[in-house]
Amino acid sequence: MKKRIISTILLVASALTLLSGYALTAEQRALADKLVRLHVVANSDSETDQAVKLQVRDAVLAETRRLLADETDPIPALRAGLPAIEAAANRTLAGAGSTDRAAVSLGPELFPTRDYETFSLPAGRYTALRVTIGEGQGHNWWCVVYPALCLSASAGELEAAAQAAGLSDGEIALITGESGGYELKFKALEWLEQFQDWFS
């Protein structure tokens, strides 16, 4: 009898954990559908290459701001603008005296949980604008290119940009930590992603 009760409790706990995991995954996917991440990878970890990476980042952000100024659907605009983004990155590299070239792509990418100054994003798959400089062996720089959260200096600016991009109040509360317990939720998402990767 005791073994049956323990088995039942474990079964119910497992089912609740699984349902909770699916709810978290659905929440992350809904958020990911509204965001485009930016991932800039430096040629190497040398001081020069890391400094050049930041110059390329700034050029890419300026070009994406231009491309996305009046857009509500960023994917087609970014896809059409890939040559212009790559050209801006390569002009910046040449201007910095670098012989490296940048390769720019747009596609799904797995990201870990990431904390920024005014917000955090859960682990998961997001559409990413990826800029790889040269060998792409250096430390990278991550942010969000749509909505334009990379340069939001205050919580108010971040909230305005997020609302303009169609994020719900609940999604904004999730990334700003106002919903409470977001760190535990985000860690659970990381574990769930790892679990799914093991069995896929």
Side-chain angles (χ1 to χ4, degrees):
M1 180 70 172
K2 191 175 183 180
K3 286 182 182 179
R4 189 176 297 162
I5 291 171
I6 291 171
S7 295
T8 302
I9 290 170
L10 288 174
L11 185 62
V12 169
S14 297
L16 288 173
T17 301
L18 190 59
L19 287 172
S20 172
Y22 283 128
L24 283 171
T25 300
E27 195 172 17
Q28 184 277 327
R29 285 186 182 145
L31 182 63
D33 285 346
K34 298 176 182 176
L35 302 178
V36 178
R37 306 283 294 264
L38 175 62
H39 190 184
V40 183
V41 186
N43 178 59
S44 76
D45 283 334
S46 75
E47 194 173 316
T48 300
D49 283 348
Q50 287 296 310
V52 167
K53 172 191 74 178
L54 298 179
Q55 292 176 43
V56 169
R57 171 204 66 188
D58 292 345
V60 167
L61 286 174
E63 188 62 29
T64 57
R65 269 196 309 273
R66 186 187 69 74
L67 290 168
L68 299 174
D70 299 314
E71 292 294 330
T72 54
D73 188 1
I75 303 299
L78 287 171
R79 191 163 283 127
L82 286 176
I85 296 167
E86 189 167 283
N90 284 318
R91 273 194 310 274
T92 302
L93 286 167
S98 173
T99 58
D100 292 325
R101 301 290 290 168
V104 179
S105 61
L106 185 68
E109 194 171 332
L110 183 61
F111 286 83
T113 295
R114 182 75 179 161
D115 293 321
Y116 300 95
E117 284 185 34
T118 54
F119 67 102
S120 297
L121 288 175
R125 294 192 186 283
Y126 293 82
T127 299
L129 178 65
R130 183 182 177 94
V131 181
T132 305
I133 302 168
E135 298 296 316
Q137 298 298 311
H139 280 92
N140 50 34
W141 190 88
W142 291 327
C143 202
V144 181
V145 74
Y146 185 87
L149 304 182
C150 291
L151 304 176
S152 297
S154 68
E157 289 174 344
L158 175 125
E159 196 166 321
Q163 284 174 340
L167 270 68
S168 69
D169 289 343
E171 289 164 339
I172 294 169
L174 177 69
I175 67 173
T176 59
E178 293 173 13
S179 64
Y182 77 98
E183 289 178 4
L184 182 59
K185 283 183 179 181
F186 289 2
K187 185 50 78 177
L189 275 167
E190 279 189 42
W191 291 333
L192 190 60
E193 283 287 342
Q194 290 170 354
F195 181 77
Q196 288 172 339
D197 282 348
W198 288 335
F199 290 97
S200 61

